[in-house]
Amino acid sequence: MLRRTKIIATMGPATDDPKALDALIQAGVDVVRLNFSHGSHEEHRERAETVRNRARAHGRQVGVLCDLQGPKIRIERFKEGKVVLEEGARFVLDASLGSDDGTAERVGIAYKQLPEDVKRGDTLLLDDGHVVLWVEDSLGAEIVCRVVVGGELSNNKGINRQGGGLSAKALTDKDRADIKVAADMRCDYLALSFPRCADDVNEARELLRQAGGHGGIIAKIERAEAMNNLEEIIEASDAVMIARGDLGVEIGDAELPAVQKRIIHIARGLDRVVITATQMMQSMVESPIPTRAEVFDVANAVIDGTDAVMLSAETATGKYPDKVVAAMDRICKGAERQRNAMVTERRQQMHFNRIDEAIAKAAMYTANHLGVKAIAALTESGATPLWMSRISSGIPIYALTRHVETRRKVTLYRGVYPVSFDVTSTDHAEVNREAIDELVRRGAVRDGDLVIITKGDLAGVLGGTNAMKILRVGEHELHQDEL
């Protein structure tokens, strides 16, 4: 059984060993994430090149996602490396304090404008909410707080304001420099951290294009205020990532499950890709097997329709990077066998703006009602298989394309599988035969199976898909009328 939901694995020290990387690819990873919050540009370049080379050696296509750090809203460092804050104690966040001078009474902050963004009565959450501070006053460079929930606090932990509202811009000077590197690496996707509105997404796309990059833009939904502009952010993006860490801290954990479902639903309705991320298999950083709660978390995201599930520390620094991918693979396949993960979406009052979109949706409707075994979408940009993948189905969609960039792009689309295929003939019947022969060679179909082929009259034209053909394997050399 082919897995339709895609798996993203974060690269790191645990995957740098060639044997570990080979095992990760063999376990079924579809896209690797390079986290620009850590590591040097040279490390990221080397990892991307190594992944592509090893994937090619395994006969696989693996996409590369570059994840920008975004604004660094964090505390600085402590003299002793960490402190323990007692409930009820006074604690000061001090923008004027040296970066290594933190004590149990005060600590520096990397985001120097923070005192201007908070006021008495605000709640600040440090280290993903493990430490909670109530703001008594904000005076000059100092934010005077009272510890509501105490505990251990170590260097460089994140700061969130409950309810959101921090003014930090999504793109920093570091991000702008990193975008140029990502473009030079030919990244397939660029993830934007902490966008507040569509303008942030548009700016990131413009900077990537100016640098010569052609990757898709992923908006990470992790700010409370992003929820107020959700649809415009999704529409401006190629994909969205539900970054449940910071988002959960800002809106509250109790709100997160419903918000996750809402984002998945909206993204699919707007024909955008959606990724579910953060602590999906966190226990497997140390354990070779997941908890039951993690199994349910991954499975529920799959049943809700997520395109991809993402691993962070589990593969970057964990003890069992290949085992966690293999476990996620099993869970996804199990969830995909459930009927409500395969039902067809019937959209009322649907209106098509493009011919290729109409062909894509018509092909899926036909496939789901005719017993088709596979779909071969001959594509230049990957748009047709993307639209197809928005309709729930258990039918595999093969994106046949000569462009390596398109093959890497579709590694993120649910139920879509990249195939290297170059149209060398102007004879449509010959192209059909070659496409079906490729699916037969892959074991996707056999004699007697029905196959749908979508393509354009003119090869090599972007957005040119205007035809759908239904063929039966074994009879595909006979003339068939175009629908």
Side-chain angles (χ1 to χ4, degrees), residues 40 71 75 188 190 228 233 242 297 346 406 419:
S40 66
I75 63 170
D188 304 300
L190 180 76
N228 299 324
I233 290 174
I242 310 168
D297 183 28
R346 293 178 174 85
T406 301
V419 177

Side-chain angles (χ1 to χ4, degrees), residues 181-245:
V181 175
D184 188 55
M185 289 166 52
R186 296 171 291 116
C187 75
D188 304 300
Y189 289 95
L190 180 76
L192 174 64
S193 296
F194 302 102
R196 300 162 298 177
C197 59
D199 287 344
D200 291 335
V201 181
N202 294 332
E203 183 181 3
R205 188 185 301 279
E206 183 178 350
L207 290 171
L208 183 64
R209 298 295 179 262
Q210 288 175 356
H214 299 283
I217 303 297
I218 299 172
K220 296 168 65 176
I221 307 300
E222 49 191 342
R223 275 181 164 170
E225 51 264 51
M227 296 304 300
N228 299 324
N229 306 306
L230 188 57
E231 291 201 20
E232 71 168 57
I233 290 174
I234 294 175
E235 284 192 286
S237 310
D238 297 286
V240 291
M241 181 190 297
I242 310 168
R244 304 182 304 179

Side-chain angles (χ1 to χ4, degrees), residues 87-102:
E87 184 178 325
R90 183 178 184 269
F91 189 68
V92 178
L93 302 176
D94 188 348
S96 65
L97 192 68
S99 58
D100 295 301
D101 296 335

